[in-house]
Amino acid sequence: MIERMLNESINGLSPKVPFQPEDAASVARLILDSMKTSGRVYHNMQHVFDISKTMKDPILELSALFHDVIYYSIDKSFQGEQAKALEGVVLGVDGSHGQPQELILALEFEDPIAELVVRLYGFEPGKPLPKLGTNEFLSAVIGVRVLEKWLSVPQLMQIATCIEATIPFRPISEDGKTPMDRLYDRLKLVCPDQSEEWLVHTVRMAAVTANCDLCSFDSNDRDFFLDSSWKLIPEARPVLLEEDCPLMEYYNECFALEGRTKFLKGAVPKIFQSFRQAPSDEEMAAKQAKTHENLKVMSEYALVRMLQLMVLVEFVKVMGEDPASIPLRPLLRMTLPEVTSPTAENESPMGLTAEEQAEVRNWLVCGRRACFSWDPAISPLGAYLYDSLGPKGIASAVEVGKNQKPGSHELLKVLPKDVVTTIASSLGAVLPDRAEKFSQVPEKLGILAQ
């Protein structure tokens, strides 16, 4: 599929020299190898295919193919072909493995195309690359250097511009300019011979690229949004991908996810890009409204998952063991009996409708669309808690868990007694060597089965 996209896009741009089948295979291999490193769960080829579904313009498709070939914080090093494409642009790029090192931009550039990209991105030669925009800049450099054999300079600069627009969450500047306004200003300086029509068209294509890159946020397919959000979790906490990952890592990640979601809710106006009413104000408002709705529904699902991890950690602590040494994965696959009388749907503290609450419950009971080795699609304990407590009870229990005094185990004490005893029994089934300890937890808490 990558070769087909390359063939159609490059040949659709009247290449300077023929784009041969062996060329397509070589470029496709570079892209695929870049996107399949072990730490990538979200930023992989499926992401490229997802965001390019509605792209019809060859420049947009090529931008999508190259926009994430570098993700330095995840990859932590450069592959041989990547390092070769970055020679003379970034100092210290040798393709070695290990911890990420500081990347410094070269002081001078022999390659005029690379220099144009540096100026377009507003970076300063001889200085360290900034945290924000480094991945996009390096991806653009690789893209234009790989494609310059076939494409013209204006076409290459359009690709670099589209990739620049995918730098996320940038604010309006003090002079009232949006990221796309500032991009237009730099593009005009870098490409002074291009017409105003070309400049505007290019930046509008860049806004399209940026919005496609984050298309899950305003998607009407909420399963796609949830799966996209969940795929990002192990990229932020790679230890989750390890078979023996301890329980405490996912517990901590639930709190980190809560913080990121809070940030995203406040950053909604920065997610999507527009340039000179493309998209229009009305279209942008609709994108933002849908994003708020998707974040709200996902937040309730995430809150249930947080309570699930809180409960598991409390059980382990009551047993006198360390949740940093208990394996996570068996605990996520425990089975629990169906709640015979689920708590009637009640008002959600997050303002979810009854239909949205049913959607959350379906994710817990029937599963997300995507299943991962580190987190199964279904969440038996989450579903059991949701049915037993309802949305209000979930939110209330989480607050108790957050505010309880160390060693008080108030969270388990406020849960219904039968819930605690049922969970204790189910935990013993997945960790039989600790079954007796789990069975003693209710007694230690002063809880007797009703």
Side-chain angles (χ1 to χ4, degrees):
M1 185 170 180
I2 305 174
E3 292 184 35
R4 178 184 61 77
M5 291 174 68
L6 287 166
N7 271 310
E8 292 179 356
S9 298
I10 293 176
N11 287 318
L13 293 171
S14 303
K16 295 182 291 185
V17 297
F19 188 66
Q20 305 289 357
E22 58 268 27
D23 297 325
S26 176
V27 177
R29 174 54 56 188
L30 183 148
I31 294 171
L32 181 60
D33 287 347
S34 298
M35 303 291 286
K36 68 175 186 179
T37 58
S38 60
R40 293 188 184 224
V41 180
Y42 174 80
H43 292 95
N44 55 23
M45 283 311 306
Q46 186 57 51
H47 170 60
V48 172
F49 299 146
D50 287 339
I51 72 171
S52 61
K53 284 179 180 177
T54 60
M55 292 178 172
K56 305 301 180 184
D57 189 286
I59 294 293
L60 295 179
E61 284 204 339
L62 290 171
S63 301
L65 282 168
F66 280 96
H67 84 288
D68 277 337
V69 290
I70 295 294
Y71 214 97
Y72 194 58
S73 59
I74 297 175
D75 301 335
K76 296 182 172 57
S77 63
F78 298 105
Q79 299 172 13
E81 289 301 311
Q82 293 174 335
K84 182 178 178 181
L86 294 172
E87 284 180 0
V89 179
V90 180
L91 303 181
V93 178
D94 58 5
S96 61
H97 294 271
Q99 291 301 311
Q101 60 183 341
E102 184 178 51
L103 301 176
I104 300 175
L105 204 55
L107 191 60
E108 296 179 344
F109 307 95
E110 295 182 4
D111 181 0
I113 295 295
E115 184 175 7
L116 288 176
V117 177
V118 171
R119 291 171 55 201
L120 177 66
Y121 280 63
F123 292 165
E124 189 174 349
K127 298 292 184 180
L129 289 174
K131 289 184 178 179
L132 188 64
T134 287
N135 293 324
E136 293 80 3
F137 167 72
L138 297 177
S139 295
V141 170
I142 290 177
V144 299
R145 282 187 147 183
V146 167
L147 298 174
E148 65 179 326
K149 176 181 178 181
W150 302 282
L151 304 185
S152 67
V153 172
Q155 290 168 338
L156 296 172
M157 294 314 297
Q158 286 183 319
I159 292 170
T161 301
C162 288
I163 295 176
E164 197 278 350
T166 65
I167 302 173
F169 309 124
R170 291 176 289 178
I172 295 175
S173 59
E174 292 183 359
D175 59 0
K177 291 189 174 183
T178 68
M180 295 302 98
D181 293 330
R182 302 194 293 273
L183 180 56
Y184 167 85
D185 291 342
R186 294 194 302 273
L187 181 64
K188 190 173 183 179
L189 292 174
V190 172
C191 301
D193 297 333
Q194 295 301 319
S195 67
E196 175 68 9
E197 181 182 4
W198 182 90
L199 293 168
V200 171
H201 175 65
T202 298
V203 179
R204 283 180 167 173
M205 283 200 299
V208 169
T209 306
N211 295 341
C212 286
D213 189 32
L214 299 176
C215 63
S216 69
F217 279 101
D218 67 327
S219 175
N220 291 318
D221 181 355
R222 197 127 52 208
D223 289 279
F224 172 51
F225 172 68
L226 180 65
D227 286 345
S228 297
S229 301
W230 235 247
K231 287 177 181 178
L232 286 166
I233 289 176
E235 291 193 353
R237 195 174 295 266
V239 68
L240 289 170
L241 297 174
E242 298 176 8
E243 181 71 32
D244 59 351
C245 174
L247 167 63
M248 201 65 185
E249 290 293 343
Y250 206 173
Y251 172 86
N252 290 333
E253 181 56 27
C254 284
F255 287 88
L257 175 62
E258 183 182 48
R260 292 197 300 271
T261 303
K262 183 178 180 180
F263 164 80
L264 288 172
K265 288 178 178 179
V268 168
K270 303 175 186 176
I271 291 177
F272 302 107
Q273 302 300 324
S274 175
F275 185 67
R276 299 186 183 179
Q277 286 295 302
S280 67
D281 290 342
E282 292 76 13
E283 290 171 320
M284 290 289 282
K287 285 177 174 292
Q288 293 178 15
K290 189 64 180 180
T291 299
H292 279 297
E293 179 185 307
N294 287 341
L295 285 170
K296 178 185 65 174
V297 178
M298 186 197 76
S299 293
E300 181 141 315
Y301 173 79
L303 194 69
V304 180
R305 300 304 307 277
M306 175 182 280
L307 180 59
Q308 170 189 350
L309 272 296
M310 283 180 161
V311 167
L312 292 172
V313 165
E314 283 302 304
F315 262 91
V316 171
K317 287 182 176 179
V318 174
M319 288 164 47
E321 295 201 38
D322 183 1
S325 62
I326 295 290
L328 166 69
R329 294 189 180 186
L331 302 180
L332 299 180
R333 292 174 169 80
M334 60 189 290
T335 58
L336 290 110
E338 184 177 349
V339 177
T340 54
S341 300
T343 299
E345 289 180 351
N346 52 34
E347 183 180 348
S348 164
M350 294 190 185
L352 269 64
T353 64
E355 183 179 355
E356 290 168 340
Q357 290 178 41
E359 193 171 1
V360 171
R361 184 180 184 276
N362 186 67
W363 285 334
L364 297 165
V365 176
C366 300
R368 302 181 311 269
R369 186 180 296 164
C371 179
F372 310 112
S373 60
W374 55 275
D375 190 35
I378 62 172
S379 177
L381 178 53
Y384 180 75
L385 291 169
Y386 200 64
D387 281 347
S388 298
L389 306 178
K392 278 187 176 180
I394 293 288
S396 176
V398 167
E399 284 306 305
V400 171
K402 287 180 177 180
N403 296 303
Q404 66 183 353
K405 294 180 181 179
S408 69
H409 309 302
E410 283 300 315
L411 172 59
L412 297 184
K413 292 177 182 177
V414 300
L415 295 179
K417 294 179 181 179
D418 61 323
V419 168
V420 176
T421 55
T422 299
I423 294 174
S425 176
S426 297
L427 284 170
V430 292
L431 292 178
D433 58 325
R434 294 176 171 87
E436 185 175 353
K437 285 187 175 182
F438 281 124
S439 69
Q440 294 171 352
V441 168
E443 184 178 352
K444 287 184 176 182
L445 295 171
I447 295 173
L448 296 176
Q450 291 181 330

